[in-house]
Amino acid sequence: MDKSINLVKLCVGAEKVEDLLHWQKQPRAKGPDGKPRHVTRMWPKREAEILNGGSIYWVFKGVILCRQRILRLDEVIGQDGIRRCGIVLDKEVHRTEHAMRRPFQGWRYLTNEDAPSDLTGTRAREESLPVELSAALAEIGVR
């Protein structure tokens, strides 16, 4: 059976999931097909595993709060002629249990075993807690 792997990425400039949702509605955050897209400098070496059901887990102020399924990786050539990776995402955002993450640059791989679970039922529809409170709860192990 083929394995899948996920990416984890800082959601720079956003404090809560609603900020990400708002950003992804903007035309500059979408690819030519209208799907949300995050362009990054590096191309993942584990592309086949990512495209085998992987997601991108978004980190807000040190806490993973949600994920989006990765649909494909598109080549994006910038005005500077440099090849970049366009990570094309499903429009649906799944809120997850809160999980602490130390600061890092770029993105990192995240195994399914280490990934936080999706919130279910009414918890998935609840408004996000303030990030500082989410971080404090995650730090003491309350999900």
Side-chain angles (χ1 to χ4, degrees):
M1 181 178 183
D2 293 330
K3 289 180 19 178
S4 67
I5 192 88
N6 306 292
L7 298 178
V8 62
K9 175 88 176 86
L10 300 180
C11 197
V12 178
E15 295 191 6
K16 56 189 182 217
V17 176
E18 291 76 15
D19 295 337
L20 173 67
L21 296 172
H22 177 74
W23 164 253
Q24 289 185 349
K25 289 179 183 173
Q26 307 305 311
R28 64 182 177 221
K30 297 178 183 180
D33 61 0
K35 292 187 179 0
R37 179 174 77 169
H38 177 76
V39 178
T40 185
R41 198 168 45 94
M42 302 300 290
W43 199 281
K45 290 179 175 46
R46 299 174 74 176
E47 177 177 2
E49 291 172 89
I50 290 169
L51 297 177
N52 191 35
S55 292
I56 189 165
Y57 284 77
W58 292 107
V59 179
F60 299 81
K61 292 186 152 189
V63 183
I64 294 175
L65 297 179
C66 67
R67 71 171 179 88
Q68 285 178 281
R69 195 167 55 86
I70 298 172
L71 302 177
R72 66 178 188 272
L73 304 177
D74 288 351
E75 179 179 75
V76 177
I77 306 294
Q79 291 180 343
D80 54 8
I82 295 175
R83 177 182 186 248
R84 293 180 172 85
C85 180
I87 304 170
V88 180
L89 304 167
D90 188 6
K91 291 180 182 179
E92 187 174 359
V93 173
H94 302 270
R95 293 177 191 267
T96 64
E97 292 181 342
H98 302 172
M100 297 291 296
R101 278 292 159 204
R102 296 202 182 278
F104 60 92
Q105 289 187 333
W107 45 262
R108 299 286 183 266
Y109 292 112
L110 179 67
T111 64
N112 289 322
E113 297 77 31
D114 291 335
S117 299
D118 289 353
L119 294 179
T120 58
T122 57
R123 286 195 65 202
R125 293 186 296 277
E126 291 174 1
E127 190 166 323
S128 297
L129 293 172
V131 176
E132 293 79 10
L133 179 56
S134 294
L137 290 172
E139 193 170 332
I140 62 171
V142 176
R143 297 175 175 225

